[in-house]
Amino acid sequence: MALRLGPSFSHPLIASSVSVRTTRQIRRCSIRSCILEPNESRKLVLEVKEKLEKEYPSLPVGSNGRDDEDMILWFLKDRRFSVDEAVSKLTKAIKWRHEFGVSELSEEAVKAVAQTGKACVHDFPDVDGRPVLLVVGSKHIPLEFDPSDDKKLCVFLLEEALSRLPTGNEQILAIVDLRGFRTENADLKFLTFLFDAFYYYYPRRVAQVLFVDAPLIFKPIWQMAKPLLKSYASLVKFCSAETVRKEYFTPETLPASFRD
């Protein structure tokens, strides 16, 4: 098997002290993001970079390290351009990447788990140009492999999907095919790890998670998992295989398992 690895705020008592520029920035902020001018975001990136160098000099450097400006900018966006919050979350993510050995993962390292067919990166993007991470729930048997091996495959595929992001696209699509899902496939711990990875280490890199044709036995599992996922539970959409076929792919790019 070949491995296939995206209301403005204004108070009358303080309005006179708020500059036009600041007011404009506040209006452009939302709960999930805040858009700044390139020069302003660049200054914040450098501020985070200097803070990390000063306070956490032992953190790795290079790609996905404390001096990786693209990574810093992404975490600033995630933390609505709060330098302190970005530094806190970045520190945790960089330490995790180093301890997990993300840069050392390879096809060979995850080959045995990948050959089960439980997950892969689809050969084609969806209709919005997003790389697609495809998971087959019925092929996941907890404890068939060491849990750490399943986690390695998960991270390896996330990295592969992100490496395929086209210019201008920053998020991937995850599809969890639940057709044929049985009680023995349930793995709440792994599901929690997956969403923890989305939140802490790959924030806002997943645009949507499709749960396809979830059987009744999956519903109580979801009710237990949902509170653990916090705001990321909002990314989940329950849908049918027909919806996947009609709304997310063209006939030429549709995954083979959905060609019914």
Side-chain angles (χ1 to χ4, degrees):
M1 170 187 173
L3 280 179
R4 297 193 300 273
L5 303 168
S8 64
F9 172 77
S10 178
H11 193 290
L13 296 179
I14 64 171
S16 61
S17 64
V18 179
S19 68
V20 173
R21 180 180 180 184
T22 302
T23 302
R24 183 167 64 248
Q25 289 179 5
I26 291 173
R27 285 172 179 163
R28 295 170 72 180
C29 291
S30 68
I31 292 176
R32 289 189 58 83
S33 66
C34 178
I35 303 173
L36 296 183
E37 298 299 328
N39 288 341
E40 295 168 331
S41 60
R42 171 66 177 166
K43 289 178 181 178
L44 293 176
V45 166
L46 293 177
E47 186 176 341
V48 170
K49 188 175 178 180
E50 292 170 2
K51 195 174 180 71
L52 287 170
E53 181 179 8
K54 179 180 179 180
E55 299 179 6
Y56 304 95
S58 63
L59 287 178
V61 296
S63 178
N64 294 302
R66 60 174 170 79
D67 61 344
D68 185 328
E69 296 185 5
D70 288 337
M71 185 181 185
I72 290 173
L73 178 59
W74 189 258
F75 275 74
L76 275 168
K77 290 178 180 179
D78 173 61
R79 295 292 86 195
R80 301 182 297 278
F81 290 95
S82 166
V83 169
D84 289 339
E85 290 185 21
V87 166
S88 176
K89 197 165 184 176
L90 264 167
T91 302
K92 182 174 182 176
I94 295 171
K95 286 180 178 178
W96 171 81
R97 293 184 68 90
H98 177 67
E99 294 168 358
F100 194 88
V102 175
S103 63
E104 300 166 9
L105 293 176
S106 64
E107 287 191 23
E108 188 61 32
V110 301
K111 183 177 180 180
V113 188
Q115 286 181 332
T116 63
K118 66 172 67 180
C120 69
V121 177
H122 183 44
D123 292 329
F124 301 98
D126 72 351
V127 292
D128 293 317
R130 299 173 297 194
V132 179
L133 176 60
L134 182 59
V135 178
V136 183
S138 64
K139 294 184 178 182
H140 176 66
I141 309 296
L143 302 183
E144 179 182 20
F145 292 91
D146 188 285
S148 64
D149 292 327
D150 285 321
K151 292 177 182 179
K152 287 177 182 177
L153 176 64
C154 170
V155 173
F156 180 74
L157 293 176
L158 274 172
E159 290 283 321
E160 175 64 22
L162 291 172
S163 74
R164 298 187 185 187
L165 284 170
T167 302
N169 209 331
E170 300 175 324
Q171 296 180 306
I172 68 173
L173 172 69
I175 299 178
V176 182
D177 186 350
L178 292 170
R179 292 174 294 178
F181 182 90
R182 303 179 301 273
T183 304
E184 52 263 40
N185 302 125
D187 193 344
L188 188 58
K189 287 185 177 180
F190 184 75
L191 186 62
T192 303
F193 164 79
L194 180 62
F195 278 87
D196 275 350
F198 290 164
Y199 179 79
Y200 292 110
Y201 314 128
Y202 300 92
R204 297 178 60 195
R205 286 300 200 181
V206 179
Q208 194 172 46
V209 180
L210 304 181
F211 281 174
V212 183
D213 285 337
L216 288 177
I217 60 172
F218 182 77
K219 300 302 172 68
I221 297 171
W222 172 242
Q223 291 305 314
M224 288 188 291
K226 189 175 180 179
L228 302 175
L229 309 182
K230 302 176 183 178
S231 63
Y232 265 59
S234 65
L235 295 181
V236 171
K237 174 183 178 181
F238 285 84
C239 68
S240 66
E242 185 66 14
T243 297
V244 173
R245 285 191 283 269
K246 289 185 175 181
E247 298 183 12
Y248 290 88
F249 297 94
T250 66
E252 295 75 24
T253 63
L254 186 67
S257 58
F258 286 90
R259 297 178 183 274
D260 295 336

